[in-house]
Amino acid sequence: MADDLSSSVLDRFNAVVGSVGLVTDQEELDPCLAEWRGLFHGRAPVLVAPANKEEAAEILSICQHERIGVVPQGGNTGLAGGAIPHSTPEFPQILISARRMNRIRDLDAANYTVTAEAGCLLSAVQAAAEEGDRLFPLSLAAEGSCQLGGNISTNAGGTNVLRYGNTRDLVMGLEVVLADGRIIDGLSGLRKDNTGYDLKQLFIGAEGTLGFITAATCKLFPRPRSVATALVAVSDPTAAIELYGEARRALGDQLNAFELIGRVAMDLVLTHIPGTSDPLSGSPDWYVLMELGSAGPDADAVLQAFLSAAIDKGRVQDGVLAQSGMQRDALWRLRHSISEAEKKAGVGIKHDISVPLSAVAQFLERAEALATRRIPDVVVVTFGHLGDGNLHFSLNLPAGTDAATLMKLWDSVSRDVHTVAAELGGSFSAEHGIGTLKRHELQRLADPVALDLMRTIKAALDPAGIMNPGKLFL
Ligand SMILES: Cc1cc2nc3c(=O)[nH]c(=O)nc-3n(C[C@H](O)[C@H](O)[C@H](O)COP(=O)(O)OP(=O)(O)OC[C@H]3O[C@@H](n4cnc5c(N)ncnc54)[C@H](O)[C@@H]3O)c2cc1C
């Protein structure tokens, strides 16, 4: 496979990053060539890991000059195939990784900012913030493996969006190496700076198609003095949304998270994830995991009072409030393990849609009816960040379904599901991005003028088309 690249190019890479920054061993490369769910398998002759932005710039200059595709890869936890290279002898592609750029450069507690390199694990950025008595609120199940650069490039969402926003809302400045090797030094920690186009926004959510992010300055927040977490049973998604409306009214900005878990999703976790158990009795059809963070000492009391009132009104059927950090972790483990449990359960067609909250129940009703008409023995798994109108709507297929049948069904059923979301004013890609998986849907469902502008931006920043080729656009 190294045949895709001449030895002289490899020598030039070696001269820039040294052998410590080059991976050519197939066994070491293999895990980087398959997507987390095993949906995409790729090919690349080498992974290059520069130690700093200057080395990254030199690598990109060589690639632009030699017309070699450059596929940035972070923790490779993305779910749309965006980080998987597809090298060929005609158009070689390399992987570039920020894994050696993993320093926290600065934590400015007074300014409530952290400047971290793109290869930092998300959990490392969270830990650095905590050490400085601050909160970096981005949180998702893959936080122990995904990298800040990947989070920014996918504009990751996660479980705290309803209070703190998506990654886009947390990024204040970026350092980026462009396709031609120039470097934008934009690590600003300013909350106000109206000096022309806000260029960092171009790279957030661009999935590595416009440049290689090497560092970022991100917003921090005060750490809540007390946190309360509860798992409650509700009758259906409509009841969950009503509960959410009341929670927003009663708890305001203290509400960090409001997650929906359907019966089937919970059962998958209980079956496939060792050490989990359902804290509620009676096998409820739907659960909500909610969390409140308070600047005062009494989050538990506030959430307890809210839930008691909700039980009295019949909005909540049952519930449990975490009494310790361990219990809180156990509740979150139920939610965070769903993707892992789905993976263990077998093959399925995954969706990552968002709709206005007012349309969630309608979406579920219509999408489920369509899916069962097309695949009569399908098992529907529903969970997601309900507070953001973002549902992960998965269709698990009978055991033994082969990959070819899966992919054929995936295309046709997903089109239906995405069309329902679009008709309800929603998105077919709420937080996981486009990658290769949803390029056809972007082409089909995006506003044509917006798509045209996206292509114009791509052509302006990467005229040779070397940055993450074949991603986003058909
Ligand atoms: C169990 C599980 C749970 C998840 N939960 C959530 C969730 O709640 N919310 C959510 O939004 N996502 C979630 N994800 C998806 C995934 O974790 C996020 O998309 C994450 O932000 C990807 O980060 P990564 O470092 O793994 O990036 P990768 O998968 O390596 O790459 C993702 C994209 O970013 C590009 N990229 C990576 N690094 C750079 C860089 N330095 N410069 C330029 N481009 C770069 C890649 O080319 C690719 O297009 C989940 C995934 C798993 C496996």
Side-chain angles (χ1 to χ4, degrees):
M1 208 177 285
D3 291 352
D4 288 3
L5 276 187
S6 68
S7 56
S8 70
V9 169
L10 278 176
D11 288 346
R12 286 168 71 191
F13 289 160
N14 200 0
V16 177
V17 297
S19 58
V20 65
L22 282 188
V23 179
T24 51
D25 175 65
Q26 198 56 48
E27 243 175 68
E28 243 188 281
L29 275 177
D30 276 345
C32 308
L33 300 176
E35 179 248 16
W36 189 79
R37 291 190 293 224
L39 273 186
F40 298 97
H41 294 271
R43 173 184 152 104
V46 64
L47 178 146
V48 183
N52 50 51
K53 63 183 175 190
E54 290 80 12
E55 287 187 8
E58 279 190 64
I59 296 293
L60 264 71
S61 305
I62 296 172
C63 290
Q64 159 131 317
H65 192 257
E66 301 293 330
R67 195 155 186 273
I68 295 166
V70 179
V71 180
Q73 186 174 95
N76 196 17
T77 67
L79 298 173
I84 302 301
H86 296 283
S87 183
T88 62
E90 297 72 39
F91 186 15
Q93 297 184 13
I94 64 161
L95 279 166
I96 190 164
S97 165
R99 59 167 75 155
R100 292 173 67 215
M101 284 180 258
N102 57 5
R103 276 187 317 126
I104 302 290
R105 288 194 195 160
D106 181 44
L107 191 130
D108 186 341
N111 197 42
Y112 279 82
T113 50
V114 61
T115 298
E117 293 183 338
C120 287
L121 292 179
L122 172 55
S123 55
V125 184
Q126 294 166 340
E130 195 172 331
E131 260 174 51
D133 194 26
R134 296 289 180 265
L135 173 76
F136 184 56
L138 181 64
S139 176
L140 42 122
E143 62 201 21
S145 327
C146 59
Q147 297 177 2
L148 185 61
N151 300 144
I152 294 168
S153 301
T154 54
N155 184 26
T159 50
N160 288 329
V161 171
L162 64 93
R163 179 163 181 180
Y164 298 102
N166 290 296
T167 302
R168 187 180 297 286
D169 301 293
L170 304 174
V171 174
M172 300 174 80
L174 282 185
E175 180 184 275
V176 185
V177 181
L178 298 177
D180 61 8
R182 284 181 298 162
I183 299 169
I184 304 185
D185 268 314
L187 290 177
S188 160
L190 297 176
R191 283 177 170 75
K192 289 193 163 179
D193 180 20
N194 284 346
T195 49
Y197 299 148
D198 187 0
L199 294 175
K200 68 175 180 290
Q201 299 296 350
L202 287 179
F203 301 95
I204 303 171
E207 301 184 45
T209 59
L210 298 179
F212 179 56
I213 297 171
T214 49
T217 300
C218 297
K219 274 182 207 165
L220 299 177
F221 293 82
R223 268 159 43 81
R225 205 166 140 204
S226 58
V227 173
T229 310
L231 184 74
V232 303
V234 293
S235 55
D236 53 36
T238 303
I241 287 162
E242 284 167 5
L243 183 68
Y244 174 70
E246 287 197 4
R248 286 308 300 259
R249 263 195 307 280
L251 309 171
D253 281 348
Q254 298 178 94
L255 194 59
N256 291 348
F258 198 91
E259 300 284 310
L260 182 73
I261 306 173
R263 175 76 256 150
V264 183
M266 182 64 87
D267 282 340
L268 285 179
V269 172
L270 301 176
T271 307
H272 294 285
I273 306 296
T276 53
S277 61
D278 189 344
L280 302 185
S281 56
S283 296
D285 288 339
W286 295 93
Y287 301 76
V288 166
L289 178 61
M290 58 192 290
E291 187 163 282
L292 185 148
S294 169
D298 54 353
D300 270 347
V302 173
L303 189 54
Q304 175 82 62
F306 172 76
L307 289 175
S308 299
I311 288 173
D312 288 347
K313 286 183 203 159
R315 293 229 185 280
V316 166
Q317 299 163 334
D318 190 8
V320 57
L321 189 64
Q323 299 299 321
S324 65
M326 245 166 74
Q327 281 184 13
R328 177 180 176 233
D329 291 347
L331 293 185
W332 271 110
R333 187 154 177 249
L334 293 170
R335 167 63 186 88
H336 279 323
S337 303
I338 298 174
S339 299
E340 183 70 37
E342 280 190 299
K343 192 173 157 182
K344 289 187 174 169
V347 293
I349 302 168
K350 320 286 178 192
H351 303 93
D352 165 40
I353 65 92
S354 62
V355 289
L357 278 179
S358 47
V360 164
Q362 215 185 332
F363 168 82
L364 285 173
E365 201 178 302
R366 285 178 59 185
E368 194 162 338
L370 273 169
T372 40
R373 206 175 314 140
R374 276 194 182 267
I375 320 169
D377 41 6
V378 74
V379 176
V380 178
V381 186
T382 305
F383 64 101
H385 314 295
L386 186 68
D388 314 323
N390 175 193
L391 294 176
H392 300 311
F393 178 79
S394 307
L395 304 171
N396 279 11
L397 301 181
T401 307
D402 61 78
T405 313
L406 167 72
M407 287 321 272
K408 209 165 133 229
L409 280 171
W410 193 307
D411 284 346
S412 56
V413 179
S414 286
R415 271 179 81 91
D416 287 350
V417 171
H418 293 157
T419 301
V420 173
E423 284 172 3
L424 294 170
S427 166
F428 65 94
S429 177
E431 58 174 11
H432 295 162
I434 304 297
T436 40
L437 184 65
K438 296 180 190 160
R439 289 176 307 163
H440 287 89
E441 292 299 70
L442 185 70
Q443 182 71 30
R444 183 171 75 94
L445 293 167
D447 174 80
V449 178
L451 197 56
D452 189 42
L453 272 182
M454 286 189 219
R455 287 186 191 281
T456 306
I457 291 168
K458 169 76 178 167
L461 269 74
D462 179 22
I466 61 160
M467 288 309 304
N468 215 354
K471 310 294 161 47
L472 276 190
F473 306 109
L474 280 177

